[in-house]
Amino acid sequence: MRHHAIHISVLLAEPHFCVLVELGKTRVFCQVSGELVPPKDSRPTEGIMFFNLELSPMASPAFEPNRQSELLVTLNRQLERCLRNSKCIDTESLCVVSGEKVWQIRVDVHVLNHDGNLMDAASIAAISALSHFRRPDVAIQGRDVTVFSPEERDPIPLSIYHMPICVSFAFFLQGSYLLVDPCEREERVKDGLLVIAMNKHREICSIQSSGGIMLLKDQVLRCSKIASVKVSEITELINKALENDRKIRKEGGKFGFAESMPKERITTLKRDEVPVEMTDVKETASDIVDRTETTAEVVPSAVLVGMGTAQIGEGIVNSWALEEDEEDEPQTEDRKTGTVSDVCFCAVE
């Protein structure tokens, strides 16, 4: 049983509240926004929760742009089942005017790098971003609704009852082996997958099995016990990250993008730090330049043999890539002197 290290960064980019989650090498970026919209006819006193997950080719070459794959549809349904159907957010508190104005909370999840276990990373990012989100305060006078900016009134957090978090289990050899938090290579060869959404109170919010293998009751109970431990640890990490962000903002320190940019937390790839020796820079640079300098090749100049002729390379032996056995062939003789002619360029008048 193995579980990757989890790193949660809380970012802020007005007016969207953002969260970056690193689960091993899998990186997921989530932002939450809200706007006033008319409610649904069937539920006039409840707000609207909208979830959108994107798989771009930046995360993996296997993802195609502008195409809803089977994996994308499955992840969207699991995310909605985990957060919306579990009633973890009080949607009635999002109502402003019954039947006319309610808050629509939009959750956009962007996969930056895919190395397996996208469902766990997406659920952690979504519930963290919803916990960090603050909607603008409103005032109602008759039929008029006034929305106040953060400078005028403090934004209001969402009413969250609990934090459902998904934990994935991969099965191999028809359920003989169990693996928590599988990576992308392990997901390729798995026989089945079990995703359990649970909160820290050990309440199962949703459970889904895929792969077509038959699981025994003892296997499901074992997975639920493991999930309860992992959910408690992850919930503690989320609360700690939110508390640190709240403390830094109160003290006026660096937070959000200002704190994450120097540490390269919001980029897709990372590079390792390489130590650079800064002593004796001038001497080292001079030595490198001296070693790279090469003398220019001297090209023989044309020699004037006679009026109207010019010769290049006088006295140089020219074999013309002939083998030693071919050197005994009869050579062309000059008509006047009987000696071998040099290579000449003649100017015809």
Side-chain angles (χ1 to χ4, degrees), residues 24 39 56 76 116 124 129 134 159 186 193 218 234 257 304:
S56 65
N76 264 316
I124 296 172
R134 302 291 186 271
S159 179
E186 294 163 348
L193 183 69
D218 295 338
I234 296 172
F257 287 108
L304 184 62

Side-chain angles (χ1 to χ4, degrees), residues 208-225:
Q208 180 170 346
S209 176
S210 60
I213 65 172
M214 299 296 294
L215 297 178
L216 301 177
K217 180 181 67 175
D218 295 338
Q219 292 176 316
V220 179
L221 291 176
R222 183 189 177 192
C223 294
S224 63
K225 292 179 180 179

Side-chain angles (χ1 to χ4, degrees), residues 162-188:
H162 58 92
M163 290 185 178
I165 296 172
C166 294
V167 180
S168 300
F169 301 88
F171 295 91
F172 302 90
L173 298 180
Q174 297 300 320
S176 301
Y177 296 94
L178 169 66
L179 183 64
V180 184
D181 185 14
C183 67
E184 192 266 341
R185 290 186 177 180
E186 294 163 348
E187 288 182 348
R188 292 183 183 179

Side-chain angles (χ1 to χ4, degrees), residues 24 26 59 96 121 136 138 151 185 192 270 278 291 296 304 319:
T26 299
V96 179
V138 296
E151 291 77 14
R185 290 186 177 180
K270 290 184 177 181
M278 299 302 294
R291 288 197 300 267
L304 184 62
S319 62

Side-chain angles (χ1 to χ4, degrees), residues 102-156:
V102 296
W103 284 104
Q104 175 179 272
I105 306 301
R106 180 185 176 94
V107 181
D108 292 294
V109 181
H110 305 271
V111 179
L112 302 181
N113 189 39
H114 173 40
D115 190 43
N117 205 2
L118 291 178
M119 191 61 234
D120 293 13
S123 65
I124 296 172
I127 194 62
S128 302
L130 288 170
S131 302
H132 185 253
F133 177 72
R134 302 291 186 271
R135 66 172 178 83
D137 194 6
V138 296
I140 305 172
Q141 294 181 354
R143 292 290 182 178
D144 298 332
V145 178
T146 304
V147 181
F148 296 98
S149 62
E151 291 77 14
E152 296 174 340
R153 289 188 183 180
D154 293 336
I156 302 174

